[in-house]
Amino acid sequence: MIEKDNIKHKIKYKKIGDIYYPIFDDAEPALGYYATEKLNYLKEQHPSKYLLSKYSHKYKHKLFVLNCFCEQLFQSRTKVLFENNKFVSKIEREKLLSNIRKEILKAYVYQNKEVVFDGKKFKITK
């Protein structure tokens, strides 16, 4: 955990993957797009897991890690895609980005695997 002085308040940061995220002790982690999609998936497909996850602070942290992983994966795949396809139209670009999101959702969100972060790297459970 890294602490940085922000005027009068110290903010703690946790490195997850390649990015430092602010950690607020008194607040639950914010759920992004992929974490929200995971909750919606659980709500529709596995209601009992959804109910358990809804009230678990530990599970919300797992969702935060999942979201961090998926966002970083999306960013890296997008970077590679546009380095290889520099001259694409706006419509083609949106279609390619949508395909990347769909692949990530299918691989990591819409299934029972979990993304675990051990402090150094991400692992996918079986």
Side-chain angles (χ1 to χ4, degrees):
M1 189 89 58
I2 292 178
E3 292 188 12
K4 296 190 179 202
D5 199 358
N6 182 12
I7 303 177
K8 295 181 182 179
H9 301 86
K10 288 195 177 199
I11 298 176
K12 294 178 185 176
Y13 292 84
K14 182 175 183 180
K15 187 175 183 183
I16 301 176
D18 297 330
I19 299 174
Y20 287 92
Y21 293 91
I23 304 298
F24 302 102
D25 295 331
D26 59 343
E28 291 186 5
L31 299 180
Y33 172 74
Y34 295 101
T36 303
E37 286 296 311
K38 181 71 170 189
L39 279 177
N40 290 337
Y41 168 76
L42 290 175
K43 188 176 184 178
E44 293 172 11
Q45 303 297 323
H46 305 283
S48 59
K49 275 188 178 181
Y50 170 75
L51 288 175
L52 291 173
S53 65
K54 187 175 178 179
Y55 300 107
S56 169
H57 181 72
K58 192 179 250 187
Y59 195 79
K60 287 185 179 176
H61 180 72
K62 287 182 180 182
L63 287 172
F64 178 73
V65 170
L66 168 76
N67 198 75
C68 294
F69 170 78
C70 290
E71 285 293 342
Q72 290 178 42
L73 187 60
F74 177 77
Q75 294 295 327
S76 65
R77 287 186 181 176
T78 300
K79 181 180 176 185
V80 169
L81 178 73
F82 290 123
E83 285 174 353
N84 296 332
N85 300 299
K86 292 183 181 184
F87 304 105
V88 294
S89 70
K90 185 177 179 179
I91 294 170
E92 290 171 330
R93 182 177 62 225
E94 291 302 317
K95 185 177 178 183
L96 292 169
L97 292 175
S98 177
N99 288 341
I100 292 172
R101 275 192 200 94
K102 286 177 186 176
E103 289 172 9
I104 292 171
L105 287 169
K106 184 178 178 185
Y108 303 106
V109 177
Y110 299 148
Q111 43 71 31
N112 289 326
K113 294 178 186 175
E114 286 190 41
V115 175
V116 179
F117 183 68
D118 67 3
K120 294 183 180 180
K121 61 182 179 177
F122 294 103
K123 296 179 182 177
I124 312 299
T125 62
K126 294 184 179 183

